[in-house]
Amino acid sequence: MRSLFRVLAALAVIAVFSIPVISPYLANAQPAATSAPETAKQIHSLKITVLSTMLVGDTTGIGEWGFSALVEADGHRVLLDTGNHPETVFQNARDLKIDLSDVREVILTHNHGDHVGGLLTLRREMMKQNPDALSMVHVGKGIFYSRPLPDREGNRMIAIRKDYEATGGKFIEHDSWAEVFPGAWLTGPVPRKYPERNWSATIKMQTPDDLVEDTIPEDQSLVLNTAQGLVVITGCGHAGIVNILTDANTEFNNRPVYGVIGGLHLYPATDEQLDWTGDKMKEFHVANLLGAHCTGIEAVYRLRGRAGLTRKSAVVATVGSTFTLADGIATGELAKVATDLESPVTMSSAYRGRLAPSPTGLLAGGLGF
């Protein structure tokens, strides 16, 4: 009996000490978890409306050096950037008959004033109708770093943060990919694989560790995983549009890019830089380009040619321009002449028969050429 007891006891000891060894092995044998973007829900209904950019397409709206766009996807609404001047987006939305009072979330792509200038006005005005309006702002890590200038603080977000939080608003800081709503993903700060260097080398930034060159590390974009492919919305694209598309390509397993919307900060780029960028965009199968804000007019045209796009699929954005999955790019008269008409003869006929009687039309027709 004692021998049997000893055998049973020995077996029990072996079993106990085997558990820590066996359990991790079994845990590791489970199927590996798939990254979130790979299993992300696809968006089937999408409308993007430009509320701030340099040009106006017709008599509605005010142009400025800035950017803002309203994103509406499968019943969700989010505002990306808020323009430059305090009143611009508020007034443009009113003129376009767009109600922002039921929009709860805002995305700020980076700290520059031409993207954050309208935040406080919009929050204060919209909360008169809905206390929850524009009450949550998504930002990238680094947006609140000091940008010291000789005579002042160069980062307006430091002062805006205090005033915005005083209204009851909340900032959410991201340092990696994050889902805003089903199918809509923030990149967070983007890895800089290629040296696109879309920023001013003269500005400094105070990090927790040192005073360094301001590379605008917080720059983030919104990536929408649609049934047709990815739609990427940028503010200025300071991380570099090729770096942004490369990051999205990695996260979403080589999905084609159905649209690039927003500012790309290519207006000062050389022909060589634009050609390289356009060639890369073609590799990512970019199907539509609505170049706004700091992209640059000439840059849009050059990218159009290099990426193999057309007048209808690569357009300079105007206030009120829209992009939808069903209809692609729709814009005002200023750009419409160049996209809808195919030949100088047809354009001349339209100019004489449709646009000439109106001073507004004359302007649109002349610049549309």
Side-chain angles (χ1 to χ4, degrees), residues 107-128:
I107 295 166
L108 294 181
T109 57
H110 61 293
N111 78 88
H112 289 170
D114 51 343
H115 296 258
V116 306
L119 178 62
L120 289 175
T121 296
L122 288 166
R123 166 67 175 153
R124 289 164 176 164
E125 290 295 330
M126 293 302 108
M127 67 186 296
K128 294 175 183 177

Side-chain angles (χ1 to χ4, degrees), residues 173-248:
E173 192 168 328
H174 300 279
D175 60 4
S176 61
W177 283 79
E179 190 171 34
V180 181
F181 57 82
W185 292 83
L186 276 176
T187 62
V190 173
R192 313 287 175 91
K193 178 179 179 179
Y194 298 102
E196 295 179 80
R197 294 189 62 82
N198 289 354
W199 61 82
S200 171
T202 63
I203 307 298
K204 298 296 182 181
M205 169 181 66
Q206 183 65 59
T207 71
D209 300 319
D210 201 358
L211 184 67
V212 298
E213 179 184 1
D214 183 9
T215 61
I216 318 174
E218 76 273 13
D219 186 73
Q220 62 179 354
S221 298
L222 180 65
V223 179
L224 304 164
N225 184 32
T226 79
Q228 283 90 329
L230 303 181
V231 175
V232 180
I233 312 176
T234 63
C236 270
H238 286 298
I241 185 57
V242 176
N243 286 325
I244 294 167
L245 295 180
T246 299
D247 195 27

Side-chain angles (χ1 to χ4, degrees), residues 72-121:
E72 300 172 280
D74 288 349
H76 299 274
R77 306 178 84 213
V78 61
L79 184 67
L80 186 138
D81 288 343
T82 62
N84 189 351
H85 296 90
E87 303 287 339
T88 302
V89 173
F90 174 68
Q91 183 168 331
N92 283 344
R94 182 182 60 192
D95 291 348
L96 292 166
K97 296 179 172 54
I98 293 175
D99 184 7
L100 298 177
S101 65
D102 64 346
V103 177
R104 179 169 179 256
E105 295 178 88
V106 180
I107 295 166
L108 294 181
T109 57
H110 61 293
N111 78 88
H112 289 170
D114 51 343
H115 296 258
V116 306
L119 178 62
L120 289 175
T121 296

Side-chain angles (χ1 to χ4, degrees), residues 38 47 64-65 79 81 87 115 123-124 136 161 203 224 304-305 309-310:
E38 293 178 9
K47 183 179 182 181
E64 66 169 358
W65 185 282
L79 184 67
D81 288 343
E87 303 287 339
H115 296 258
R123 166 67 175 153
R124 289 164 176 164
M136 181 181 296
R161 180 182 194 176
I203 307 298
L224 304 164
R304 172 198 289 171
L309 302 175
T310 69

